[in-house]
Amino acid sequence: MNQELESQFDQFDKPEIIRRQLLPWWIKTFCWIFMIMGVVGFATIPFSFFTSNVNLSIYGFSSNTALSGIGIFIIAIITFKAYVGYSLWFEKENAISLAKIDAILGVVICIASMFILPFINDVNGHFSLRLELALLIPYYLKINKIEYEWDNLESI
């Protein structure tokens, strides 16, 4: 009985290992940015009933109305990014998988906006280089690098 009590109290002597410490400062910053953007983006839906002009934009897609197809698409992207930021910040089990999906989806959407939107929007063949790719690729590489440690740490 005494030994059982000692083993249960041994866990309090161990230093806390926090998965969040595996994330670099710039990913932590973007977690907060996207969590805030998610709340604001989601709030634009009821706000759009009172005004017809709500400017939304991400990855080259933009809309002036939240209740249009593109507007809902943008809000869905922002909401997903907010959920990924939340999952990373609060050290959820599936955070790394979600972050990888987020990065790959972001790259695909950026490429689509660079190569498909110019033909749909008839902007005279102007090519737009999406600078978001400069962050999405290192983001994926960093997430991929910390995946093993993240999965093998116990969260608090």
Side-chain angles (χ1 to χ4, degrees):
M1 175 84 176
N2 191 19
Q3 202 164 22
E4 182 180 311
L5 285 175
E6 286 177 18
S7 65
Q8 288 178 357
F9 288 112
D10 286 345
Q11 67 183 348
F12 294 113
D13 294 333
K14 295 178 185 175
E16 293 180 358
I17 299 173
I18 301 175
R19 290 176 172 165
R20 192 182 308 151
Q21 292 173 350
L22 298 172
L23 300 173
W25 66 270
W26 56 276
I27 291 179
K28 291 176 188 176
T29 303
F30 278 106
C31 284
W32 277 101
I33 289 171
F34 284 115
M35 284 190 287
I36 293 167
M37 280 179 60
V39 170
V40 172
F42 197 69
T44 60
I45 294 173
F47 183 70
S48 65
F49 290 115
F50 302 108
T51 181
S52 62
N53 192 10
V54 177
N55 294 323
L56 300 167
S57 179
I58 194 165
Y59 294 146
F61 288 88
S62 60
S63 177
N64 290 332
T65 57
L67 297 178
S68 66
I70 296 292
I72 291 171
F73 175 69
I74 292 169
I75 291 170
I77 292 170
I78 291 171
T79 303
F80 178 67
K81 293 186 84 51
Y83 181 68
V84 172
Y86 170 84
S87 297
L88 286 170
W89 188 259
F90 291 103
E91 306 174 9
K92 302 297 180 186
E93 293 291 326
N94 63 348
I96 295 297
S97 298
L98 289 172
K100 284 180 156 185
I101 292 168
D102 176 34
I104 292 169
L105 191 63
V107 168
V108 168
I109 293 170
C110 279
I111 290 172
S113 74
M114 288 188 321
F115 295 110
I116 296 172
L117 278 183
F119 297 109
I120 294 174
N121 291 339
D122 192 34
V123 290
N124 299 327
H126 287 254
F127 178 75
S128 173
L129 180 64
R130 302 303 314 165
L131 294 178
E132 291 94 335
L133 291 172
L135 289 174
L136 287 169
I137 294 169
Y139 170 56
Y140 180 84
L141 294 174
K142 183 61 180 178
I143 291 297
N144 196 42
K145 184 177 178 181
I146 66 171
E147 180 178 22
Y148 179 79
E149 276 187 89
W150 185 281
D151 289 341
N152 292 307
L153 288 177
E154 290 186 31
S155 63
I156 10 182

